[in-house]
Amino acid sequence: MTAPTTAPGRGRWIEHWDPEDEGFWERKGRRIARRNLALSVVSEHIGFSVWSMFSVLALFMGPEYGIDPAGKFFLVAVASLVGAALRVPYGFAVARFGGRNWTVISAAMLLAPTTALLVVMEPGTSYTTFMLVAVLTGVGGANFASSMTNINSFYPLRLKGWALGVNAGGGNIGVAVVQLAGLLTIAVAGAAQPRLLLAAYLPLIVAATVLSARHMDNLGPVRNDTGAAREAARDRHTWIMSFLYIGTFGSFIGYSFAFGLVLQNQFGRTPLQAASLTFIGPLLGSLIRPVGGRLADRLGGARVTLWNFGAMTGAAGIVVAASVRESLALFIAGFIVLFVLTGLGNGSTFKMIPGIFQAKAHAMGLTGEAAAVRARRLSGASMALIGAVGGFGGVGINMALRQSFLTSGTGTGAFAVFLGYYVVCAAVTWAVYLRRGVGRAGGGGGGAGGVGDGGGRVRAAAAGEEESRAAYARV
């Protein structure tokens, strides 16, 4: 098997990449993939910190800023909205420019919102100016799509759940880290010194940019493929998984942005008291995400996702009850559990995506490298769309909370809506990917993440997509 090669004159481009070949993987692939994964995590981590910066800076915005709670919810919603929208072009940029090249560009772009915040973060700045800077912070959220699309191409199917979980979890934890840094800043320097927090991130962004340029790689086989984007957009599973990812990642990022504001405005916590609690949920949710991916590798992503949505429904019920009773202890406990479950669900849902497209490739009669190539190109394109739609869930959560506070002064109504959404997500997961007898016509077995036997694939190809759904229960 040919070893990875670098094309002369093209920078760090690897022209041959076959992670499904175990010999190739053990000789060269694993080491290269892990190096790129580690550096991808660094850049994505800082991107998430910049994206969620307003959720922390809102704690520094006292009455002298002249922004009411609804206005603060709207600022973080704008940041969430822009980050979600930019995930589509960012996801496809990897194939156009190369994973390394785009990581360098996207990391360097984080300097713009951080520098802008450093300049404008003071009383007397207009709300319009803060809105414009919130738009700039969206570039940090978009990094997720390009990072996940890139890492998806480096790893074999059997390890994608773990690899994508580590990559996303390492990025997600940037939310908790910036919130913890905000707590430290408030505790040491007071709520009047937000610029200290912002100044600390400028050298980190520069370091991430330089490290990515020096040590990451582009994959030559990952070429700009508009056909894959169109095909992924036409596939109904892209949109079904987007709906489910709203429930997991949309909840994670929405709650991460809003938790401190709810503690301040519904439970009367001071900025320091709120900051001392807000980082815990995002931290645990981020750390648990690789576990969700690993469980999905072993048990099947659809099964883990179904049980996770059931548990999220129960946790949301606790949050609703705590909000009605105005019990801070119960509210925090319910929210922490909910954060952990969003992390698990993030890992299991993203593991499902490459497995679904692998099953579809086998259903068409493809085998071996042909099936792996088709699954990689379509799952990569699909991830860009799914990541974007999932990010819009964070917008929905903050807008729902904004409306709930405007209407009733509490978040109870919004929390009840979120509970209902988790019930629907559980029902969709079961109906599409796990319902007994759906599409089963005698296809063969297979482990978690596997597909049926050759005869099952032939019958699936003959019967079309409906036949292949038996394999999706094992993705």
Side-chain angles (χ1 to χ4, degrees):
M1 183 63 64
T2 306
T5 58
T6 301
R10 296 190 62 201
R12 298 182 63 93
W13 283 88
I14 296 175
E15 292 300 337
H16 173 80
W17 189 256
D18 184 10
E20 301 297 342
D21 183 301
E22 293 191 13
F24 171 90
W25 179 252
E26 293 301 326
R27 287 195 310 272
K28 298 284 187 180
R30 184 191 303 274
R31 174 177 55 83
I32 295 171
R34 284 185 172 177
R35 183 181 71 240
N36 281 271
L37 173 60
L39 292 169
S40 176
V41 166
V42 171
S43 293
E44 188 189 346
H45 173 97
I46 298 173
F48 264 92
S49 293
V50 172
W51 190 29
S52 56
M53 192 68 75
F54 263 108
S55 72
V56 180
L57 296 178
L59 302 180
F60 290 83
M61 292 178 170
E64 66 275 15
Y65 281 82
I67 303 175
D68 63 11
K72 293 178 183 179
F73 276 118
F74 195 69
L75 281 176
V76 296
V78 166
S80 184
L81 173 65
V82 175
L86 287 178
R87 284 182 170 193
V88 176
Y90 267 57
F92 297 136
V94 169
R96 176 65 181 86
F97 299 100
R100 165 195 174 270
N101 295 348
W102 187 251
T103 301
V104 172
I105 294 169
S106 61
M109 287 174 65
L110 298 175
L111 290 170
T114 309
T115 303
L117 280 169
L118 190 63
V119 172
V120 307
M121 195 64 202
E122 62 184 9
T125 299
S126 70
Y127 189 74
T128 301
T129 300
F130 281 125
M131 285 282 291
L132 292 174
V133 179
V135 169
L136 288 178
T137 63
V139 299
N143 281 11
F144 171 86
S146 54
S147 180
M148 293 293 275
T149 301
N150 186 40
I151 294 304
N152 177 61
S153 299
F154 274 96
Y155 277 83
L157 181 64
R158 67 184 183 278
L159 297 176
K160 284 185 189 290
W162 173 82
L164 293 173
V166 169
N167 188 59
N172 293 170
I173 207 171
V175 179
V177 169
V178 74
Q179 291 175 344
L180 190 57
L183 167 63
L184 181 63
T185 302
I186 293 174
V188 174
Q193 300 298 327
R195 286 191 170 102
L196 293 177
L197 173 64
L198 295 161
Y201 270 87
L202 291 175
L204 297 178
I205 294 170
V206 173
T209 304
V210 172
L211 288 172
S212 298
R214 290 177 60 86
H215 300 294
M216 289 189 75
D217 303 285
N218 302 302
L219 293 183
V222 180
R223 291 288 186 258
N224 191 27
D225 188 352
T226 56
R230 289 194 299 268
E231 193 169 346
R234 288 196 300 265
D235 194 296
R236 65 192 182 91
H237 289 285
T238 296
W239 304 109
I240 293 170
M241 292 306 302
S242 295
F243 182 83
L244 299 182
Y245 201 56
I246 288 174
T248 57
F249 179 77
S251 295
F252 173 84
I253 199 65
Y255 294 153
S256 296
F257 283 17
F259 191 33
L261 289 172
V262 174
L263 290 175
Q264 275 191 298
N265 295 291
Q266 184 167 341
F267 292 94
R269 300 295 93 183
T270 67
L272 182 59
Q273 289 170 332
S276 68
L277 296 169
T278 52
F279 75 93
I280 299 173
L283 175 64
L284 296 177
S286 301
L287 292 175
I288 205 72
R289 181 162 182 161
V291 177
R294 181 68 81 184
L295 285 174
D297 284 338
R298 293 174 59 86
L299 305 175
R303 292 186 178 92
V304 175
T305 298
L306 174 64
W307 286 108
N308 195 73
F309 275 126
M312 287 178 71
T313 301
I318 294 174
V319 170
V320 171
S323 183
V324 171
R325 294 172 54 184
E326 298 184 353
S327 171
L328 178 61
L330 186 62
F331 184 83
I332 292 172
F335 240 115
I336 295 302
V337 172
L338 200 50
F339 267 116
V340 170
L341 294 171
T342 62
L344 279 172
N346 285 338
S348 65
T349 52
F350 245 72
K351 159 62 182 179
M352 291 172 68
I353 299 166
I356 287 170
F357 286 100
Q358 186 85 0
K360 289 174 71 67
H362 284 294
M364 296 172 62
L366 299 176
T367 59
E369 178 64 9
V373 168
R374 179 175 176 79
R376 280 200 299 269
R377 61 186 283 271
L378 289 181
S379 61
S382 181
M383 282 178 182
L385 297 172
I386 292 168
V389 177
F392 283 118
V395 182
I397 280 181
N398 281 281
M399 294 305 292
L401 284 167
R402 176 179 182 272
Q403 186 59 44
S404 185
F405 272 92
L406 284 173
T407 303
S408 64
T410 75
T412 303
F415 299 136
V417 171
F418 306 152
L419 185 155
Y421 193 88
Y422 303 145
V423 172
V424 175
C425 285
V428 169
T429 304
W430 173 81
V432 177
Y433 300 112
L434 291 169
R435 181 156 54 100
R436 289 182 181 274
V438 175
R440 295 186 185 274
V451 292
D453 61 18
R457 290 195 298 271
V458 172
R459 288 190 293 274
E465 182 178 319
E466 186 70 16
E467 182 78 11
S468 69
R469 288 173 70 180
Y472 299 152
R474 297 184 292 274
V475 298

